[in-house]
Amino acid sequence: MSASRQPPPSDPEQGVWQGRRIARRVVSPDGLTILVGKTARDNDILSLKLADPLDFWMHAAGMAGSHVVVRNPDRLSRLPRETERLAAGLAAGYSKARKGGKVDIHLAFCDAVSKARGMPPGKVLLRRYKAVKAAPLRLEDLDGAG
């Protein structure tokens, strides 16, 4: 008799997928959880499997970088200003543009993010988004981040 093996639990609030941490985590000044993908494969899992369709998604426009997901348990229609600024800064800071000035960041709901068959890890399609500008920011720049 064989017992079916269940994958380890996932915890979207902690950035954990099937028992593995796939994202860096910080809580915004507004109390919202911000998750920053670690690798291209982790970005796919974060954006397409772990995130809720109404969570917010960010990524530096036109360049390699981490996907950033802001958890949205209260189903907000828009992010509070400080959370948007922090999350967009992290998207810029964890991209190839991290050493530059202000970066264009795409902001969308996760339900607007998809992937076509055969696309490489980390590469996604966006149906609709708005662009915001942000100065690069890294977690080590924040006090008490973790």
Side-chain angles (χ1 to χ4, degrees):
M1 209 158 97
S2 67
S4 65
R5 276 186 62 133
Q6 294 282 33
S10 297
D11 184 347
E13 274 304 303
Q14 296 299 318
V16 173
W17 175 255
Q18 296 183 348
R20 188 171 70 83
R21 181 168 297 281
I22 60 154
R24 300 164 189 92
R25 179 184 185 271
V26 67
V27 176
S28 78
D30 303 297
L32 297 173
T33 297
I34 300 172
L35 301 171
V36 182
K38 292 182 170 186
T39 68
R41 287 194 194 291
D42 291 344
N43 284 339
D44 282 355
I45 294 167
L46 175 62
S47 299
L48 302 169
K49 295 182 178 177
L50 193 65
D52 185 85
L54 292 179
D55 287 348
F56 294 94
W57 180 91
M58 292 187 190
H59 186 273
M63 67 190 65
S66 290
H67 294 193
V68 174
V69 169
V70 181
R71 302 283 297 148
N72 187 16
D74 296 331
R75 305 296 189 235
L76 302 172
S77 61
R78 59 177 299 163
L79 282 170
R81 182 178 306 157
E82 285 304 304
T83 297
E84 181 177 304
R85 186 189 63 76
L86 175 57
L90 291 169
Y94 287 90
S95 76
K96 294 289 185 192
R98 67 179 157 267
K99 298 206 183 324
K102 289 212 169 186
V103 178
D104 283 331
I105 303 297
H106 290 161
L107 167 61
F109 283 106
C110 285
D111 70 353
V113 180
S114 64
K115 188 168 192 82
R117 185 174 310 206
M119 288 180 82
K123 195 112 170 123
V124 295
L125 301 170
L126 276 181
R127 279 190 300 284
R128 61 194 168 280
Y129 64 89
K130 79 173 194 174
V132 298
K133 286 209 176 281
L137 184 63
R138 303 276 289 190
L139 287 176
E140 56 268 21
D141 299 332
L142 307 175
D143 290 330

